[in-house]
Amino acid sequence: CSSDGELHRNETTGELEMTPGEYTQTGPKCMLKIGDSIRKGRCLDVESDRTKPGAYLNIFPCEAKWHQLFSFGNGDVVPSGGIHVSPPKHLSSKKSTAHLCLGVQGRSSEDKEEWLRPEHDDDPDDLWPWEQDNATEYYDNGFLSLKYWDGLQLQTTPCSNEGAVVEFLYVPFIVEEYDNDEGESTDNKSDAAVEEKTDDDAEGLVVGDEL
């Protein structure tokens, strides 16, 4: 992550708390990398450098460009829990939104037609899971449960588009090291590895893995 501003995980709520920097109102910008899979080391990426809402989020080789640099909301400029990119002004039109958050389509009444992805390729009359009659589970905030979007790609949406913006929690994970074929963990190295992994690396890697 860049060094202007601070990020801290709230151990009680699981939220990532962002403190703005001296020069950056949206705080540190981070590359979110896959921690462990066949795509290990690749980065979360906004589809085709797209500066308008509706771009898919993909996994792509890391380039350290604006479409791979993500910031975290604190409830001021961007909703708390939101993850977003900020397209450069010289690449955006005057009517473009300054910040694009990770979100889903079809969950907000403020969605615009040009932001939405095409209908089902196999049958245009098919309904999305959230359009089905049995989509009746809501959160306390009045929005449909995200389980109806399970398995679908995230896409960018204006950070002001309440309901469409996904709010994230951050869960540390533990990686144990083993020194023999039976799978018994080492006595000393394991504890050190657990402490180091939890304190320094967990937040960013978990986000990448979950996405």
Side-chain angles (χ1 to χ4, degrees):
C1 295
S2 59
S3 58
D4 192 30
E6 296 182 0
L7 295 172
H8 173 73
R9 179 181 176 272
N10 186 313
E11 296 184 2
T12 301
T13 65
E15 295 177 339
L16 197 61
E17 298 175 346
M18 184 275 289
T19 302
E22 182 177 356
Y23 305 102
T24 311
Q25 190 178 13
T26 54
K29 298 181 183 296
C30 304
M31 299 177 71
L32 305 182
K33 298 183 179 181
I34 293 292
D36 186 18
S37 76
I38 59 173
R39 294 185 176 87
K40 182 177 180 179
R42 292 194 175 195
C43 286
L44 187 65
D45 179 275
V46 176
E47 174 191 22
S48 302
D49 313 358
R50 184 172 169 175
T51 60
K52 296 181 180 180
Y56 278 140
L57 276 297
N58 297 319
I59 301 301
F60 198 76
C62 299
E63 297 181 335
K65 296 182 179 180
W66 74 264
H67 47 90
Q68 293 184 350
L69 298 175
F70 295 85
S71 300
F72 304 86
N74 66 350
D76 185 8
V77 178
V78 173
S80 295
I83 301 176
H84 66 96
V85 292
S86 302
K89 292 182 179 180
H90 70 279
L91 297 178
S92 306
S93 66
K94 293 183 179 179
K95 295 182 179 180
S96 297
T97 181
H99 308 293
L100 295 171
C101 280
L102 276 60
V104 295
Q105 70 167 344
R107 194 167 179 252
S108 169
S109 60
E110 301 301 319
D111 283 343
K112 295 185 179 180
E113 190 66 30
E114 60 267 27
W115 302 346
L116 305 181
R117 306 300 295 206
E119 297 293 333
H120 300 276
D121 294 333
D122 51 351
D123 187 352
D125 294 328
D126 282 349
L127 296 177
W128 292 104
W130 59 87
E131 297 173 329
Q132 303 283 348
D133 291 339
N134 61 355
T136 58
E137 186 173 327
Y138 287 81
Y139 293 130
D140 292 339
N141 60 12
F143 293 107
L144 276 172
S145 168
L146 286 172
K147 75 177 186 179
Y148 300 115
W149 284 263
D150 185 36
L152 298 177
Q153 274 185 279
L154 293 171
Q155 64 184 65
T156 58
T157 190
C159 293
S160 59
N161 190 15
E162 187 179 5
V165 175
V166 174
E167 298 177 0
F168 292 83
L169 299 178
Y170 301 83
V171 182
F173 66 94
I174 295 174
V175 175
E176 294 186 354
E177 294 184 5
Y178 298 95
D179 62 355
N180 55 45
D181 294 336
E182 285 73 23
E184 295 179 3
S185 60
T186 58
D187 292 334
N188 298 322
K189 289 182 63 179
S190 179
D191 291 339
V194 168
E195 181 178 355
E196 180 180 357
K197 197 69 176 181
T198 301
D199 289 345
D200 297 336
D201 301 322
E203 293 165 351
L205 295 178
V206 169
V207 173
D209 286 343
E210 292 296 320
L211 296 178

